[in-house]
Amino acid sequence: MTIYTDLTEKLMQFYTSGSYHEEAVKAKIQFNEYAGVFDEAASNFEQKLAQFVDWYLFTRPLRQFGLSPIALQAEREVMPMSEEEKPYIQNLANNRHSLFEFLKISRDDLHVRDLFSDYKLVIKKSPVVHGFDENEPFEGRLIPHGDSFIFASAFCFHPKESVKFILQEVKKVKKVGDDERPKSREELLIRLFRMRHKYEQYPHVAIDEIYTNEPRMKF
């Protein structure tokens, strides 16, 4: 929805300028280690940019505060904002970052299953209904809105050949204690994101040499 797009752009501008500029530069270098350098001529440039914005605002803690920009904004209101914007900021802060399985599209409603919780979720009148494949698990971020959800703009789709490995790793995360599980989930999402990039970068390498905890090749 436009309100979330506008807020994301506003937050990104604020938390990458002024006293946050150096933080943003370091974050870009860190992200490049995960997904390679930004190439504006590449076909996946827009996708990678959306992934960086998502990771920087929602996941990466600011060194000074130990909170992501979204969490910091929801807790302390560092960036000036209107009363009308505050509930949308809280919705952004209450996002659900996970791995999902596409189930079906029913009219304009998108049905997915959260692989970590096994909950089935319905995104009512989803503006995004194309590009999903029931054989390809994907990383995404759901933002609560009203009685439903909307997806943030960044996705990471994993090849169907990686499903067995991914489900094994998800099972491991489910077994850790409640206090450790959020951190373990985020660490797995980052690892899988890096593997997806390696898969794109080295198409000649067998997928089980990339989606593995015991790589025999040095990339």
Side-chain angles (χ1 to χ4, degrees):
M1 295 180 67
T2 303
I3 181 61
Y4 293 109
T5 301
D6 292 346
L7 268 179
T8 297
E9 292 178 354
K10 185 176 178 180
L11 287 163
M12 195 64 181
Q13 182 175 4
F14 182 85
Y15 284 103
T16 58
S17 60
S19 61
Y20 300 99
H21 175 70
E22 184 178 350
E23 184 90 39
V25 172
K26 291 179 179 179
K28 190 172 183 180
I29 293 172
Q30 185 181 355
F31 185 81
N32 287 346
E33 294 176 358
Y34 298 157
V37 297
F38 288 88
D39 180 1
E40 295 187 15
S43 60
N44 66 347
F45 173 74
E46 293 296 332
Q47 176 189 18
K48 187 178 289 188
L49 181 60
Q51 290 168 340
F52 172 71
V53 170
D54 181 279
W55 173 76
Y56 182 76
L57 289 180
F58 288 96
T59 298
R60 184 183 182 276
L62 296 166
R63 297 176 189 273
Q64 181 181 353
F65 301 98
L67 296 170
S68 70
I70 290 288
L72 178 65
Q73 184 63 26
E75 184 176 304
R76 306 188 194 180
E77 298 183 15
V78 178
M79 180 188 76
M81 60 181 177
S82 67
E83 288 298 320
E84 291 77 11
E85 291 173 326
K86 289 182 180 180
Y88 296 106
I89 290 289
Q90 287 297 328
N91 286 348
L92 289 171
N94 293 331
N95 72 89
R96 187 189 194 103
H97 187 209
S98 193
L99 285 167
F100 298 95
E101 174 191 15
F102 168 70
L103 298 177
K104 66 177 180 179
I105 294 174
S106 177
R107 296 185 179 178
D108 294 330
D109 296 343
L110 179 66
H111 297 248
V112 299
R113 181 170 69 90
D114 186 321
L115 293 181
F116 289 108
S117 67
D118 291 323
Y119 291 157
K120 293 182 180 179
L121 304 157
V122 180
I123 298 86
K124 298 179 180 178
K125 296 183 179 179
S126 174
V128 183
V129 294
H130 301 292
F132 298 99
D133 187 320
E134 61 184 8
N135 297 312
E136 295 181 349
F138 66 95
E139 173 192 346
R141 196 179 298 272
L142 283 175
I143 300 165
H145 181 76
D147 62 349
S148 184
F149 304 88
I150 62 170
F151 271 116
S153 59
F155 295 92
C156 179
F157 292 89
H158 296 282
K160 61 182 180 181
E161 294 86 356
S162 67
V163 171
K164 182 179 179 180
F165 173 79
I166 289 175
L167 293 180
Q168 288 174 341
E169 296 305 297
V170 167
K171 189 175 181 180
K172 293 176 184 177
V173 173
K174 289 180 177 180
K175 290 181 178 179
V176 303
D178 292 344
D179 293 339
E180 300 175 13
R181 195 171 300 134
K183 180 181 178 182
S184 296
R185 183 178 61 244
E186 289 298 326
E187 288 176 348
L188 175 58
L189 290 170
I190 288 291
R191 283 201 294 123
L192 293 175
F193 178 79
R194 297 180 76 168
M195 290 175 184
R196 182 64 176 87
H197 170 65
K198 296 299 183 186
Y199 172 72
E200 292 180 355
Q201 190 176 10
Y202 302 101
H204 58 285
V205 177
I207 196 166
D208 58 0
E209 296 286 343
I210 296 175
Y211 281 83
T212 177
N213 290 322
E214 299 178 353
R216 291 180 289 179
M217 300 184 63
K218 291 185 178 180
F219 297 100

